[in-house]
């Protein structure tokens, strides 16, 4: 209940707006944008896009940066057999609050993956022949010799009314070119050294058709003899300086930042370097500064250093940020492959302690019977250890034909990186003076009993994790048929203080262990520290002649595996997957893995009408309790179907319709005859009957689970031409309903809709956007209801031959919530002298209703002036007002200078 109230506050102030794409085109970049009105860059610690293919068991990660009020990233689907993708956005604020889109990450955004959205051949104008006169494709010319010239050959009667348009590096230069019906020439000025692209289009009222495009190099005099007109050794890139003034909740927060990225090529060596530095860097946060180096030497060597995002396997690490190195080597025609990862997952952050709180515990007669000592954290200053990660993989063979791999990943906290108070002895031996509230008797008492000092929420515990496994990959029929399998084991130690088991520690725990076993654990400590804090201890107590002994065994709960078979043909895409993940499998480098689950998933998609109509069927059957350590097993069945139509003709709508039906059942019946009639489904405790002699006894048992969820989704995009304007309209609809058949307060209903319209004007250089989003979510069978309405309008206007662009955006978000408490009716059985018995208690709706309401108004304005191809100036400003929480207006002003070379 408290979580829902808190979320209502956060959602009101920061409502994430996003329009999902109609589809992802495989191997082609798709721009994903998330807008959060009112959220400034100074309030963002980090933002991460989590994504997975075809309902996989774990998510991969991709970091997103905030610029000009928009979280934006280019996403590429590189999975060759994926039929759909699911994703959600997580934004971690500097206040440690977390925002999500969608709000319920159990139901992420789902989008189909297609081979091709646009018919590339239809975009090319085949009725015009041409001859490129200068410069020849791939050649090199000096700046003084750069002349664009080509001759055209066609029959005017075969063409619709239109005109040719010449572009250099995507900049329209037709107005400065010498054009005739059959000849076009242009003498560019100020072309920098490097690669350039020429594009010739034929523009009609129906759209733009490509005639031809080619690339050439501009080199300095004398370079041609060395480069042979086919190489450019001068790197290209961009540098940016930014200054920001912002006022958040009345506090002034100025920030300065710099960002650079450049890349180049020398022979078969490719390299790139990026960096981002900001004065917002703080030792209370994980790194805000970013830097990275990447080098590639042909197909056989890759090297990354700095802030890298390695991918080794789904069970180990898959896109998590690491400050270190990630390198791979591919030898013998990619038949011998190595990968090595080393760095930091997290850097250390010091604990901020306040003074020890002393609380006297008194009796009913107001006499002191005990004293409690608690060390609290100041300003939520709970710290973290430095967390190191080291991993590697060896792959034998080419994965497109046959490859066997072995990999291992170790994550361990550095216990020396953090001053961490566990008891009074740690505190008394430190220079910190946190015991000013203690008297002499208190110090003496704590010195004799150090564990009497309580730490708020418990002290920070260092952890150790090891994941090791093997994988198999091979393909047939030109890689159209693929099989991939991975099996892994893991070990997680939740507290490595004290090191591995010792004879003395085993004796304290009540069993004997041989010294040779202790020596073995000591030798293994470089790999994993084994003690009583291991999540699953591979030691089993046994009876021997002297009493209790111990022996090693292999726990299956730390095992995980995944196998999948896929068929990928032009008209059919089939995928079958089986997974088995134990309840104690853990990877600290990928915390999104769903544990204690086993079962299979299959999807089959048929492509019809030249990949214009996609029909998808899917089924998933999963069970938990894989090692039988629970009282009940929950079975989850999911049925999914989707139909998508993507016509070539843009005057026709593109439509996608999806249906998902899910059931969950643990085969436990709802039974409690002790509660009042009509309240059985609201009983606090579920019961079972057991005979005790001649009497009937009721024993508590597992709560039943039986519910079904229906999720309907629809998306429609339509291009409309009206009044010399081209409108791209997108509508997304979603409705989800969960019906709980055994618990009175388990129903959930959620409906959402978003409408976006982008308009381009033919008569003027302007583009506008309009969007409306609405979400209505009711949970707990009416316990909580949240309604969110968001409206925005914006536009861009281009002037001075597109060198100056002006932009503006106004957004309104309203949030209305209604919440009621779920109370318990405590029934006292006086006759049987059972006052605290919960077997006959039941839940009911409280009388008090809490109805918080918030509104957010955000106004953004910006301008960008491109002085020339090297220099650009950007100005951004926004004003935010949040009503309903007595917060002052927030405002941000930012100026950026961009230099391209």
């Amino acid at each position: 209940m408290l979580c829902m109230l808190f979320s209502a506050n956060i959602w009101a102030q920061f409502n994430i707006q996003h329009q999902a794409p109609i589809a992802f085109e495989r191997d082609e970049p798709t721009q994903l944008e998330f807008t959060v009105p009112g959220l400034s860059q100074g309030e963002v610690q980090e933002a991460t896009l989590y994504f997975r293919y075809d309902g996989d068991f774990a998510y991969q990660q991709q970091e997103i940066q905030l610029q000009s009020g928009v979280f934006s990233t280019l996403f590429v689907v590189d999975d060759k057999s994926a039929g759909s993708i699911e994703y959600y956005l997580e934004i971690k604020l500097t206040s440690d609050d977390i925002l999500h889109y969608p709000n319920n990450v159990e139901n992420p955004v789902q989008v189909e993956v297609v081979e091709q959205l646009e018919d590339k051949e239809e975009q090319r104008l085949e009725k015009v022949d041409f001859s490129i006169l200068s410069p020849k494709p791939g050649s090199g010319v000096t700046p003084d010799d750069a002349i664009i010239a080509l001759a055209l050959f066609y029959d005017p009667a075969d063409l619709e009314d239109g005109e040719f348009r010449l572009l250099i590096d995507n900049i329209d230069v037709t107005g400065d070119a010498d054009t005739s019906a059959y000849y076009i020439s242009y003498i560019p000025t100020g072309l920098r050294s490097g690669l350039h692209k020429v594009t010739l289009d034929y523009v009609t009222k129906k759209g733009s058709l490509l005639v031809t495009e080619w690339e050439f190099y501009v080199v300095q005099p004398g370079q041609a003899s060395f480069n042979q007109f086919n190489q450019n050794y001068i790197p290209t890139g961009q540098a940016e300086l930014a200054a920001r003034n912002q006022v958040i909740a009345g506090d002034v927060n100025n920030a300065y930042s710099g960002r650079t990225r450049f890349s180049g090529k020398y022979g078969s060596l490719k390299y790139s370097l990026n960096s981002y530095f900001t004065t917002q860097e703080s030792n209370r946060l994980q790194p805000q500064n970013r830097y990275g180096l990447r080098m590639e030497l042909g197909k056989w060597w890759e090297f990354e250093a700095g802030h890298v995002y390695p991918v080794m396997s789904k069970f180990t690490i898959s896109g998590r940020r690491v400050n270190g190195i990630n390198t791979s080597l591919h030898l013998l025609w990619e038949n011998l492959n190595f990968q090595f990862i080393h760095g930091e997952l997290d850097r250390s952050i010091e604990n901020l302690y306040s003074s020890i709180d002393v609380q006297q515990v008194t009796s009913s007669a107001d006499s002191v019977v005990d004293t409690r000592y608690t060390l609290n954290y100041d300003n939520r200053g709970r710290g973290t250890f430095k967390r190191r990660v080291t991993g590697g993989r060896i792959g034998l063979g080419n994965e497109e034909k046959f490859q066997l791999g072995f990999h291992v990943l170790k994550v361990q906290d550095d216990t020396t990186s953090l001053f961490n108070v566990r008891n009074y002895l740690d505190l008394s031996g430190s220079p910190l003076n946190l015991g000013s509230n203690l008297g002499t008797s208190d110090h003496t008492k704590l010195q004799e009993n150090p564990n009497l000092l309580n730490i708020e929420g418990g002290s920070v515990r260092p952890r150790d994790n090891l994941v090791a496994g093997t994988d198999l990959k091979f393909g047939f029929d030109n890689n159209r048929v693929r099989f991939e399998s991975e099996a892994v084991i893991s070990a997680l130690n939740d507290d490595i203080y004290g090191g591995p088991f010792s004879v003395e520690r085993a004796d304290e725990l009540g069993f004997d262990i041989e010294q040779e076993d202790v020596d073995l654990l000591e030798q293994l400590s470089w790999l994993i520290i084994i003690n009583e804090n291991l999540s699953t201890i591979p030691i089993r107590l046994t009876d021997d002649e002297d009493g209790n002994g111990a022996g090693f065994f292999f726990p299956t709960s730390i095992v995980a595996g995944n196998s999948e078979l896929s068929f990928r043909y032009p008209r059919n895409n089939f995928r079958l997957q089986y997974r088995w993940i134990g309840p104690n499998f853990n990877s600290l480098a990928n915390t999104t893995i769903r544990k204690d689950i086993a079962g299979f998933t299959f999807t089959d998609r048929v492509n019809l009408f030249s990949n214009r109509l996609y029909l998808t069927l899917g089924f998933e059957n999963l069970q938990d309790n894989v090692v039988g350590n629970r009282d009940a097993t929950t079975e989850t069945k999911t049925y999914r179907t989707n139909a998508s139509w993507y016509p070539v003709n843009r005057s026709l709508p593109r439509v996608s319709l999806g249906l998902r039906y899910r059931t969950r059942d643990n085969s436990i019946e709802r039974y409690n005859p002790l509660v009042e009639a009509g309240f059985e489904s609201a009983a606090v405790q579920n019961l079972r009957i057991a005979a005790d002699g001649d009497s009937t006894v009721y024993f508590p048992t597992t709560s039943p689970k039986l519910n079904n969820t229906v999720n309907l989704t629809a998306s429609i995009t339509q291009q409309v031409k009206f009044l010399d304007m081209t409108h791209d309209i997108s509508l997304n609809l979603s409705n989800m309903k969960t019906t709980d058949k055994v618990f009175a307060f388990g129903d959930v209903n959620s409906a959402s809709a978003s409408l976006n319209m982008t308009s381009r004007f033919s008569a003027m250089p302007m583009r506008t956007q309009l969007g409306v989003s609405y979400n209505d979510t009711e949970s707990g069978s009416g316990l909580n209801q949240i309604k969110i309405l968001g409206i925005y309008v914006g536009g861009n206007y281009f002037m001075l031959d597109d060198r100056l662009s002006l932009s503006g955006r106004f957004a309104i978000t309203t949030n209305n919530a209604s919440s009621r408490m779920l109370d318990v009716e405590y029934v006292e059985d006086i006759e049987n002298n059972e006052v605290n018995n919960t077997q006959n208690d039941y839940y009911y709706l409280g009388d008090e209703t809490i109805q918080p309401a918030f509104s957010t108004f955000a106004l953004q304005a910006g301008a960008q002036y491109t002085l020339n191809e090297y220099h650009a100036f950007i100005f951004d400003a926004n004003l935010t007002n949040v009503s309903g929480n007595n917060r002052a207006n927030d405002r941000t002003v930012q100026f950026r200078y961009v230099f391209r070379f």
Side-chain angles (χ1 to χ4, degrees):
M1 183 67 217
L2 294 176
C3 289
M4 291 299 296
L5 291 176
F6 177 74
S7 298
N9 191 324
I10 294 298
W11 294 351
Q13 184 174 343
F14 301 121
N15 177 41
I16 303 176
Q17 299 172 350
H18 171 66
Q19 186 74 11
I22 185 66
F24 285 99
E25 191 171 353
R26 199 185 312 276
D27 295 325
E28 292 292 332
T30 300
Q31 189 81 20
L32 292 180
E33 293 187 347
F34 301 83
T35 304
V36 191
L39 183 65
S40 67
Q41 191 167 349
E43 297 174 280
V44 177
Q45 187 173 160
E46 61 181 359
T48 305
L49 180 72
Y50 291 87
F51 64 94
R52 64 182 181 184
Y53 298 114
D54 293 329
D56 217 337
F57 62 88
Y59 284 91
Q60 301 180 54
Q61 303 176 38
Q62 180 172 316
E63 192 173 31
I64 299 182
Q65 299 294 329
L66 174 65
Q67 278 196 338
S68 302
V70 178
F71 292 94
S72 178
T73 184
L74 281 176
F75 185 83
V76 179
V77 176
D78 54 7
D79 190 293
K80 300 302 181 183
S81 60
S84 67
I85 182 173
E86 295 175 327
Y87 64 89
Y88 68 89
L89 177 69
E90 180 180 276
I91 304 174
K92 187 175 182 181
L93 306 181
T94 54
S95 62
D96 287 335
D97 297 328
I98 296 178
L99 306 175
H100 286 109
Y101 182 91
N103 295 325
N104 183 6
V105 297
E106 290 188 1
N107 294 281
V109 179
Q110 182 171 304
V111 180
E112 292 290 298
V113 177
V114 301
E115 304 304 321
Q116 185 175 294
L117 267 178
E118 305 290 350
D119 194 331
K120 303 298 191 300
E121 296 301 324
E122 289 293 329
Q123 291 185 340
R124 183 177 293 272
L125 184 60
E126 303 290 352
K127 298 178 181 180
V128 175
D129 291 328
F130 55 88
S131 177
I132 299 175
L133 304 178
S134 173
K136 295 296 183 181
S139 65
V141 297
T142 63
D144 294 337
D145 295 332
I147 300 176
I148 312 299
L150 69 164
L152 306 176
F153 309 93
Y154 61 91
D155 185 351
D158 294 337
L159 300 182
E160 298 183 48
D161 291 338
E163 61 180 13
F164 290 99
R165 183 177 63 178
L166 182 67
L167 299 95
I168 306 296
D169 298 329
N170 296 321
I171 298 177
D172 190 350
V173 297
T174 308
D176 298 326
D178 182 10
T179 62
S180 65
Y182 302 101
Y183 180 79
I184 297 177
S185 65
Y186 172 68
I187 301 178
T189 58
L191 283 183
R192 58 182 175 84
S193 298
L195 184 66
H196 297 274
K197 183 174 72 172
V198 181
T199 304
L200 181 65
D201 291 336
Y202 187 72
V203 182
T204 68
K205 292 183 178 181
K206 294 183 178 181
S208 178
L209 301 173
L210 176 65
V211 177
T212 184
E213 63 181 3
W214 76 96
E215 295 178 337
F216 69 95
Y217 293 89
V218 171
V219 298
Q220 296 303 317
Q223 278 190 309
S225 59
F226 297 99
N227 295 339
Q228 298 179 359
F229 303 108
N230 58 5
Q231 288 263 3
N232 176 30
Y233 298 143
I234 301 176
T236 61
Q238 178 175 301
E240 175 184 311
L241 297 175
R244 185 179 74 244
N245 169 264
Q246 65 181 20
V247 179
I248 303 176
D251 296 329
V252 179
N253 183 4
N254 295 328
Y256 305 92
S257 64
R259 188 189 307 268
T260 62
R261 56 179 177 270
F262 71 89
S263 61
K265 180 179 181 181
Y266 190 90
S268 58
L269 176 65
K270 298 179 181 179
Y271 58 90
S272 63
L273 180 66
N274 67 85
S275 65
Y276 173 73
F277 295 96
T278 174
T279 56
Q280 295 293 116
E281 176 75 8
S282 170
N283 58 8
R284 299 304 308 163
L285 303 173
Q286 291 303 317
Q288 301 301 293
N289 293 335
R290 303 282 196 276
Y291 54 89
L293 168 67
R294 178 179 177 85
M295 294 188 293
E296 296 180 27
L297 188 57
K299 293 184 177 181
W300 66 274
W301 180 64
E302 297 175 357
F303 177 81
E304 294 177 308
H307 290 268
V308 299
Y309 305 86
V311 175
M312 192 160 67
S313 78
K314 297 174 183 177
F315 283 112
T316 52
I317 186 169
S318 188
R320 177 81 177 271
R321 178 166 61 103
V322 174
N323 186 9
I325 62 171
N326 174 37
T327 183
S328 59
L329 194 63
H330 311 280
L331 305 175
L332 301 178
W333 300 277
E334 300 183 76
N335 286 297
L336 185 59
N337 304 275
F338 301 92
Q339 183 181 8
F340 178 71
I341 303 168
H342 179 72
E344 292 182 6
L345 281 177
D346 298 313
R347 71 179 180 187
S348 63
I349 296 178
E350 291 296 323
N351 289 309
L352 295 181
Y353 294 112
S354 63
S355 58
I356 297 176
D357 179 53
V358 181
Q359 182 180 7
Q360 304 291 342
V361 181
T362 60
S363 65
S364 57
D366 292 335
S367 60
V368 177
V369 297
D370 195 9
T371 304
R372 295 178 181 173
Y373 305 95
T374 304
L375 178 62
N376 298 310
Y377 293 102
D378 186 25
N379 194 27
R380 294 196 288 184
R382 190 178 180 88
T384 59
F385 288 96
K386 178 190 294 184
R387 177 164 290 177
R388 293 192 175 98
V389 57
T390 302
R393 180 180 182 275
I394 300 176
L396 305 176
N398 190 313
E399 68 174 27
E400 293 189 358
K401 297 178 180 178
F402 180 89
Q403 185 180 92
L404 177 64
F406 303 91
H407 56 267
V408 62
L409 187 77
K410 178 178 174 60
V411 180
Q412 186 179 67
D413 289 337
D414 182 0
T415 58
T416 65
S417 64
L418 184 68
F419 172 70
N420 188 35
V421 177
R422 291 173 286 165
N423 55 43
Y424 180 75
L425 294 181
D426 293 331
L427 190 60
S428 61
S430 73
L432 298 179
N433 182 22
L434 303 178
S436 58
N437 295 340
L438 303 180
T440 303
S441 60
D442 295 321
H443 284 288
T444 302
K445 184 178 179 180
L446 289 171
Q447 192 73 36
E448 296 174 351
N449 300 280
N451 291 326
L452 290 179
L453 178 62
N454 299 308
I455 313 299
E456 178 189 0
S459 61
V460 184
R461 300 295 179 180
R463 310 175 83 186
D464 192 9
N465 179 222
L466 176 70
V467 182
T470 180
D471 56 82
L472 179 66
K473 305 176 182 179
F474 58 84
F476 301 104
D477 192 13
N478 293 325
N479 215 31
R480 294 188 181 95
V481 180
R482 285 196 58 79
F483 177 80
E484 297 185 6
S485 182
E486 182 179 4
V488 290
I489 61 172
S490 78
L492 175 67
N493 194 318
D494 286 314
D495 189 351
I496 59 176
Y497 276 134
F501 264 128
S502 63
V503 174
E504 295 78 9
R505 184 57 182 152
D507 184 62
E508 293 176 3
L509 296 175
F511 62 89
D512 298 325
I513 187 171
E514 299 295 333
Q515 183 61 46
E516 59 183 20
D517 294 330
V518 172
D519 295 340
L520 176 61
L521 297 180
E522 185 68 36
Q523 294 173 6
L524 292 174
S525 62
W526 70 273
L527 192 61
I528 181 70
I529 295 176
I530 300 177
N531 58 26
E532 69 276 15
N533 299 309
L534 208 65
S535 59
T536 300
I537 303 177
I539 299 176
R540 179 176 290 150
L541 298 180
T542 59
D543 292 330
D544 55 21
E545 296 177 356
D546 300 326
N548 291 331
F552 288 98
F553 81 105
F554 182 77
T556 58
S557 62
I558 65 174
V559 176
N562 178 68
S563 298
E564 62 181 65
L565 175 67
S566 62
F567 299 85
R568 181 169 175 261
Y569 288 91
R571 292 189 177 276
N572 188 257
N573 193 338
F574 176 83
R575 189 175 190 177
L576 176 64
Q577 180 185 43
Y578 178 81
R579 73 199 72 169
W580 196 102
I581 306 174
N584 295 113
F585 177 84
N586 293 278
S587 174
L588 294 180
N590 189 354
T591 57
T592 67
I593 298 173
R594 185 179 177 185
K595 300 183 294 183
D596 193 16
I597 203 74
F600 65 89
T601 303
F602 88 83
T603 58
D604 189 20
R605 187 172 69 177
V606 180
N607 309 337
L608 303 173
F609 304 114
S610 301
N611 291 332
R612 292 304 158 192
L613 179 63
Y614 294 83
L615 301 177
T616 304
L617 292 176
F619 175 71
E620 182 178 73
N621 189 333
L622 301 176
Q623 292 184 344
D624 62 5
N625 194 25
V626 297
V627 295
N629 59 348
R630 297 186 182 183
D631 294 332
T633 299
T634 300
E635 183 179 34
T636 303
K637 295 182 179 180
T638 304
Y639 306 84
R640 172 178 171 260
T641 182
N642 185 275
S644 302
W645 182 45
Y646 309 110
V648 175
N649 191 341
R650 293 307 308 272
S651 64
L652 298 176
R654 295 177 171 180
V655 181
S656 181
L657 301 174
L659 169 65
R660 186 184 62 173
Y661 178 74
R662 183 185 64 199
T663 63
R664 286 179 175 170
D665 184 10
N666 65 358
S667 301
I668 301 295
E669 295 184 358
R670 185 61 135 171
Y671 181 74
N672 191 324
L674 303 182
V675 302
E676 298 182 17
F679 290 89
E680 296 88 348
S681 62
V684 172
Q685 184 68 61
N686 202 51
L687 302 179
R688 63 182 174 89
I689 298 177
D692 185 8
D694 297 331
S695 61
T696 300
V697 181
Y698 298 102
F699 288 95
T701 188
T702 303
S703 297
K705 183 177 292 184
L706 180 60
N707 59 57
N708 61 66
T709 300
V710 179
N711 189 195
L712 293 169
T713 59
S715 63
I716 304 173
T717 65
Q718 176 70 64
Q719 189 174 94
V720 179
K721 295 183 181 295
F722 179 70
L723 296 178
D724 290 332
M725 293 182 290
T726 301
H727 307 278
D728 291 305
I729 305 172
S730 299
L731 175 65
N732 282 39
L733 302 172
S734 177
N735 182 273
M736 186 190 71
K737 181 177 182 180
T738 297
T739 303
D740 197 313
K741 298 182 179 181
V742 292
F743 184 50
F745 304 101
D747 291 354
V748 177
N749 293 302
S750 179
S752 64
S754 62
L755 174 67
N756 285 58
M757 183 175 69
T758 300
S759 301
R760 302 185 302 276
F761 294 78
S762 301
M764 64 179 68
M766 187 168 69
R767 183 175 66 246
T768 61
Q769 304 92 34
L770 173 66
V772 180
S773 62
Y774 179 76
N775 181 278
D776 186 350
T777 300
E778 180 186 275
S779 60
S781 300
L783 282 171
N784 307 287
Q785 186 172 26
I786 298 178
K787 297 181 179 181
I788 303 175
L789 174 64
I791 302 174
Y792 76 89
V793 60
N796 298 78
Y797 188 78
F798 302 91
M799 306 169 60
L800 304 179
D801 296 328
D802 293 344
R803 288 188 298 166
L804 174 64
S805 66
L806 305 177
S807 62
R809 181 185 176 100
F810 179 66
I812 303 174
T813 302
T814 63
N815 184 305
N816 294 280
S818 176
S819 304
R820 296 176 66 180
M821 297 297 293
L822 190 62
D823 295 330
V824 177
E825 180 67 28
Y826 299 100
V827 181
E828 298 181 1
D829 192 348
I830 304 298
E831 181 179 348
N832 295 320
N833 195 27
E834 293 181 350
V835 178
N836 297 321
N837 184 16
T838 61
Q839 293 186 353
N840 51 3
D841 298 338
Y842 58 89
Y843 294 101
Y844 70 96
L845 284 174
D847 296 329
E848 183 180 1
T849 300
I850 304 174
Q851 295 181 314
F854 305 88
S855 296
T856 301
F857 303 88
L859 177 62
Q860 296 175 297
Q864 176 171 335
Y865 179 69
T866 303
L867 182 62
N868 51 39
E869 60 179 314
Y870 300 104
H871 307 280
F873 303 91
I874 305 172
F875 172 80
D876 295 298
N878 69 67
L879 176 68
T880 304
N881 174 270
V882 181
S883 65
N885 64 350
N886 297 320
R887 175 172 171 171
N889 292 342
D890 297 339
R891 64 179 184 272
T892 301
V893 177
Q894 180 175 252
F895 179 78
R896 295 156 52 198
Y897 163 68
V898 178
F899 171 65
R900 301 181 179 91
F901 55 91

